[in-house]
Amino acid sequence: MKHLKLVGFLTILCLVGMLAAIPYLTAVFGGTPATAKIPLPALITVTIIQQLIMAFILGWLGLIMGEKLGLDAPIFRRWVTGTGKARFQKKDVWQALISGVVGILVVIILEKFVFQPLLPEIASNAQPVSHLAGILTFLQGGVFEEVLVRLFFMTLIVWILYTLFGKTSGRKVWMYWTGIIAAAILFGVSHLPAAQQIFGTITPILFIRTIVSNGLLGIVFGYLYWKKGLEYAMIAHAIGDIILHGILG
């Protein structure tokens, strides 16, 4: 029960992020055949409810498993429960911001010079989205995706490895790196349905592009979650979304 307030706070943040991202999602997916089967408002409502339930349950499980692993959202925990002494540190915030920016720049370079020459349809299928709508996605990606992928899935992998191999030897670095990489791959895989909606089919090159581009960012976010706390992974993810979806449109 000690995690209830924190997971409730994270779920509320997820809700705010989902509502803010509606203009972007409508612009990107509103005209696709997959969303045309039922009215878009109904689809968005059902999706938000499902995602909030997922965020609450999986976030709670992640917090429980993370207790023995040093994986947590310690700053948010202090905010909502008054426990601990964690605070945002300027150097750590800058590290998260710079990590997010550098990660996005690498992805953009790969997109422009590697994937677009192989997949001209990437540019031709780009949907016009306002910069403001793109910026407003930062909480949906930065909070919801981090709760599911890092707080739950990465923590789950590390917890399984620690349960199997760490009872006597303790926590090992390789356990965390395995969790980081596995979660990064899942992060890439989770973007395949969106790619299929936009492009119609997943070719081998498009599959590689989706996994590599998102996976590289996932490694950055996972490392920050491990070393600094979930809040810093969220910062890096959010600044990446602001640049990619907002500033670059």
Side-chain angles (χ1 to χ4, degrees):
M1 294 298 293
K2 66 180 179 179
H3 302 301
L4 183 60
K5 289 184 178 179
L6 179 53
V7 76
F9 174 77
L10 292 174
T11 304
I12 292 172
L13 282 183
C14 288
L15 174 60
V16 174
M18 291 169 192
L19 295 176
I22 288 176
Y24 177 86
L25 298 176
T26 301
V28 173
F29 300 117
T32 62
T35 58
K37 295 177 182 178
I38 63 173
L40 188 59
L43 176 64
I44 291 175
T45 301
V46 171
T47 300
I48 288 176
I49 293 173
Q50 290 175 336
Q51 290 181 340
L52 287 176
I53 293 172
M54 288 175 58
F56 185 87
I57 295 174
L58 299 185
W60 203 345
L61 292 174
L63 292 172
I64 292 171
M65 292 184 292
E67 284 187 75
K68 295 182 179 180
L69 306 171
L71 297 174
D72 195 17
I75 299 172
F76 290 159
R77 184 178 295 281
R78 184 183 67 82
W79 286 5
V80 299
T81 68
T83 59
K85 299 180 179 179
R87 300 176 183 273
F88 281 115
Q89 301 296 324
K90 185 180 295 186
K91 64 180 181 63
D92 293 332
V93 171
W94 276 110
Q95 180 182 344
L97 290 171
I98 292 171
S99 297
V101 171
V102 171
I104 283 295
L105 290 177
V106 171
V107 167
I108 292 170
I109 291 171
L110 289 174
E111 187 82 348
K112 294 293 184 181
F113 297 103
V114 177
F115 295 119
Q116 281 194 8
L118 297 173
L119 292 165
E121 61 267 30
I122 290 178
S124 63
N125 278 273
Q127 301 292 324
V129 180
S130 74
H131 295 289
L132 178 59
I135 289 173
L136 291 175
T137 65
F138 79 97
L139 269 182
Q140 194 273 342
V143 178
F144 175 69
E145 292 181 0
E146 289 306 305
V147 168
L148 263 60
V149 181
R150 246 60 63 178
L151 180 58
F152 174 70
F153 187 76
M154 176 180 155
T155 305
L156 174 63
I157 297 299
V158 179
W159 180 83
I160 290 173
L161 295 174
Y162 173 75
T163 301
L164 293 176
F165 307 108
K167 292 296 185 179
T168 56
S169 59
R171 299 179 296 194
K172 300 296 183 182
V173 170
W174 68 267
M175 298 176 184
Y176 291 90
W177 275 112
T178 302
I180 290 171
I181 294 171
I185 294 173
L186 175 68
F187 186 56
V189 170
S190 69
H191 287 78
L192 288 173
Q196 186 171 19
Q197 278 190 302
I198 293 172
F199 298 103
T201 184
I202 300 294
T203 64
I205 296 298
L206 187 57
F207 177 87
I208 293 171
R209 174 250 193 186
T210 305
I211 300 298
V212 169
S213 296
N214 291 287
L216 288 174
L217 293 171
I219 290 174
V220 174
F221 304 153
Y223 180 81
L224 289 170
Y225 171 43
W226 172 30
K227 291 295 186 178
K228 306 294 183 181
L230 186 67
E231 297 87 353
Y232 293 99
M234 290 178 173
I235 291 172
H237 194 148
I239 193 64
D241 282 349
I242 289 172
I243 294 172
L244 191 63
H245 302 309
I247 296 174
L248 300 180

